[in-house]
Amino acid sequence: MSSSISPSTVGSAVVKRGLADMLRGGVIMDVVNPEQAKIAEDSGAVAVMALERVPSDIRRDGGVARMSDPQMITEIQAAVTIPVMAKARIGHFAEAQILQALDVDYIDESEVLTPADEENHIDKWGFTVPFVCGATNLGEALRRIGEGACLIRSKGEAGTGNVVEAVRHLRTINAQIRRLQSADASELFALAKDLQAPLALVQEVAATGKLPVPLFCAGGISTPADASLVLQLGAEAVFVGSGIFKSEDPVRMAKAIVEATTHFEDAKIVANVSTGLGEAMRGAETSSLEVRLAERGW
Amino acid sequence: MPRVGVLALQGDVREHVSMLEDAGADVVTVRRAEQMDDLDGLVLPGGESTTIAYLLSTSGIRPVLERKLEEGFSVFGTCAGLILLSSEILDGRSDQWSFGALDVSVRRNGYGRQIASFESVVDVEGVGSVPGVFIRAPKIETWWGDVEVLATLDHGDGAHPVLVRQKNVWGCSFHPELTNDLRVHELFTSSL
């Protein structure tokens, strides 16, 4: 038995993307305090997103939405054994440095918060902690991956309880991947230009038929049926923001969405868990919104 | 050709399926109790142990697997799978259960949170050096009974087992499924 310390590497793309792989088939729930975090863990969440206000409240309150108070994040970390994620503003690398110093497990560079830089996203390669970023199409996803994101989620339209935008984003990303797969190698240069995406990543997607990192869905998921829908459309896990703790019975809703995410192809199970759930969160028609969060980031 | 199930409730199922197929197994993904019939072995993937434990209970797979483990069924667990097979869990939820099929005491996230996740080479007895990917990995603190230690790693606080076997039950702290090296999976499939 060897007793010498083995050389090791931290923060590699393999371990950063690897945590995203471990979350596949799961539900990541927004929570605003340790009590909600416990409920999320009890209900089978694979991770929690610690934030001060869920997106529907951020939308209602207006003003500048920033990184959460570190105290709230550390209290949530102490309350649960599952990974804890937290949000930084787009381009706000100092918030990201703070979140890394707090030992969060994933940073969401999120359009739900007010952007801090209108040109540049965070250079995510420089961090040991992995990042998830939102995307509305393949070009945006590949730009974020080029900057070092290790997990992509659809943006959807957060805080609306309306899944239509998340569906649009997933379908767009999938259609654009299929287009790359059917392209001739000599067409990929022009396609990379059209997508405004790094050529090497475009070539990789054309060859493999999938993103180089996992693709999750966020933005507007508020029922077990929504979860089943987006998983059938190719999402590998779901983020649920306002949809759980703004529903009538958060515990039942949380458990039902967890079951529907695992058994998304089994309509009988999804029907069972959907029965008698109480009111889902009150939704909003996206055409009536004053602020479209998905348009933040580029 | 052995028929091997991969528990597909949550986690990195796809990687295990692909590894086992490459290792020559006939692979079935398992989400319901009746899919546990006619298997020669089962893999519990990486993922979140609390989530998988919850779904094992709601799906009705838990009592079926408990019974099969008592009858000597072959099971291999990686990371979360190791936690689920263990006899004792440290730093878990106060109500966290496990199958008690592998006489080890594991500390959840014993190697640290995500920013401490690491890659290191692991020397496996009878196999050689394999790439080890440790993600919020559980640490085996103690072991007893007829647990065989097949690999250890010293990550700065002395050597700890990272791959163990007790008769037909195998567990490892790392993720051989996230690499291109089939040899750990072949150890399991060749035992079936």
Side-chain angles (χ1 to χ4, degrees):
Chain A
M1 200 177 286
S2 153
S3 62
S4 61
I5 298 174
S6 306
S8 65
T9 316
V10 296
S12 63
V14 170
V15 299
K16 288 157 99 175
R17 293 175 185 183
L19 180 57
D21 288 321
M22 296 311 137
L23 303 175
R24 293 203 325 251
V27 182
I28 300 143
M29 302 184 191
D30 278 4
V31 297
V32 300
N33 55 46
E35 293 70 39
Q36 288 189 353
K38 287 296 288 179
I39 290 174
E41 187 181 56
D42 289 346
S43 308
V46 287
V48 291
M49 177 75 71
L51 73 178
E52 266 162 6
R53 291 173 292 171
V54 293
S56 63
D57 289 340
I58 290 174
R59 197 177 271 294
R60 185 198 62 207
D61 296 348
V64 175
R66 308 180 181 90
M67 177 189 80
S68 297
D69 185 330
Q71 184 182 341
M72 190 270 287
I73 294 168
T74 51
E75 284 172 3
I76 288 173
Q77 285 172 319
V80 294
T81 63
I82 55 180
V84 175
M85 303 186 176
K87 290 183 195 285
R89 282 180 265 177
I90 290 172
H92 206 315
F93 54 85
E95 284 188 348
Q97 289 162 351
I98 292 166
L99 293 174
Q100 175 164 285
L102 293 173
D103 217 353
V104 303
D105 295 295
Y106 240 92
I107 295 177
D108 184 3
E109 186 182 15
S110 177
E111 69 283 359
V112 168
L113 305 184
T114 310
D117 188 326
E118 293 187 332
E119 294 273 333
N120 306 294
H121 282 249
I122 297 170
D123 172 6
K124 295 166 272 288
W125 292 112
F127 287 80
T128 307
V129 64
F131 281 76
V132 51
C133 288
T136 59
N137 59 57
L138 181 60
E140 197 176 1
L142 296 180
R143 288 194 292 280
R144 297 295 85 79
I145 295 166
E147 296 156 1
C150 294
L151 169 61
I152 294 295
R153 54 170 176 78
S154 65
K155 284 182 174 171
E157 193 53 43
T160 60
N162 189 339
V163 79
V164 65
E165 293 299 314
V167 168
R168 187 196 319 280
H169 301 159
L170 285 175
R171 282 204 182 272
T172 302
I173 290 168
N174 287 335
Q176 289 174 323
I177 290 174
R178 284 194 297 273
R179 171 74 185 94
L180 291 187
Q181 282 183 285
S182 65
D184 186 277
S186 64
E187 295 173 311
L188 293 177
F189 305 98
L191 286 168
K193 187 194 76 180
D194 292 344
L195 289 169
Q196 299 178 51
L199 175 64
L201 291 174
V202 168
Q203 288 168 326
E204 184 179 343
V205 172
T208 63
K210 61 185 189 63
L211 291 182
V213 305
L215 173 63
F216 291 4
C217 182
I221 295 167
S222 45
T223 65
D226 288 348
S228 171
L229 173 70
V230 300
L231 274 115
Q232 291 186 62
L233 288 173
E236 298 176 284
V238 295
F239 286 86
V240 184
S242 323
I244 289 170
F245 290 100
K246 290 291 178 187
S247 70
E248 187 182 333
D249 187 343
V251 173
R252 281 197 67 189
M253 184 62 83
K255 289 180 172 175
I257 293 178
V258 167
E259 292 283 340
T261 299
T262 291
H263 300 288
F264 69 94
E265 289 175 312
D266 190 330
K268 279 195 175 151
I269 293 178
V270 181
N272 256 336
V273 300
S274 300
T275 305
L277 266 187
E279 284 280 315
M281 71 174 282
R282 186 176 158 73
E285 177 59 54
T286 46
S287 59
S288 65
L289 297 176
E290 286 173 23
V291 179
R292 305 272 292 213
L293 300 177
E295 289 167 3
R296 294 172 169 178
W298 34 90
Chain B
M1 186 186 273
R3 192 171 149 85
V4 182
V6 178
L7 187 72
L9 298 172
Q10 191 274 316
D12 65 339
V13 175
R14 187 173 65 221
E15 287 78 2
H16 276 294
V17 169
S18 143
M19 280 264 156
L20 291 164
E21 282 173 352
D22 290 349
D26 176 17
V27 186
V28 187
T29 54
V30 174
R31 289 194 178 85
R32 297 192 310 275
E34 62 269 25
Q35 293 169 321
M36 294 282 288
D37 298 340
D38 308 320
L39 295 179
D40 299 308
L42 181 72
V43 168
L44 307 183
E48 274 308 311
S49 60
T50 53
T51 303
I52 299 173
Y54 173 79
L55 292 163
L56 276 165
S57 298
T58 60
S59 63
I61 296 173
R62 179 182 174 182
V64 176
L65 182 50
E66 256 164 13
R67 195 185 64 238
K68 287 176 91 84
L69 280 165
E70 277 166 21
E71 291 165 357
F73 186 49
S74 292
V75 182
F76 174 34
T78 65
C79 195
L82 164 68
I83 296 170
L84 288 162
L85 291 170
S86 69
S87 290
E88 189 184 19
I89 301 171
L90 306 170
D91 291 346
R93 288 166 51 91
S94 52
D95 60 349
Q96 192 163 353
W97 60 269
S98 56
F99 287 108
L102 199 49
D103 286 330
V104 296
S105 176
V106 292
R107 188 175 299 283
R108 285 196 62 195
N109 307 328
Y111 291 92
R113 298 184 74 96
Q114 174 60 18
I115 61 171
S117 292
F118 64 98
E119 291 183 77
S120 187
V121 172
V122 174
D123 290 318
V124 177
E125 203 175 292
V127 169
S129 298
V130 302
V133 180
F134 294 78
I135 297 173
R136 285 172 51 94
K139 186 180 272 178
I140 297 177
E141 299 275 4
T142 53
W143 62 101
W144 58 93
D146 45 5
V147 170
E148 270 180 83
V149 175
L150 302 177
T152 62
L153 185 82
D154 185 345
H155 196 53
D157 60 346
H160 288 263
V162 292
L163 175 63
V164 295
R165 172 183 189 177
Q166 185 170 18
K167 297 195 183 94
N168 296 330
V169 181
W170 305 62
C172 72
S173 307
F174 56 101
H175 294 282
E177 74 277 12
L178 291 184
T179 70
N180 296 316
D181 196 313
L182 284 180
R183 288 175 293 169
V184 175
H185 283 78
E186 282 170 346
L187 267 185
F188 177 64
T189 54
S190 64
S191 77
L192 299 175

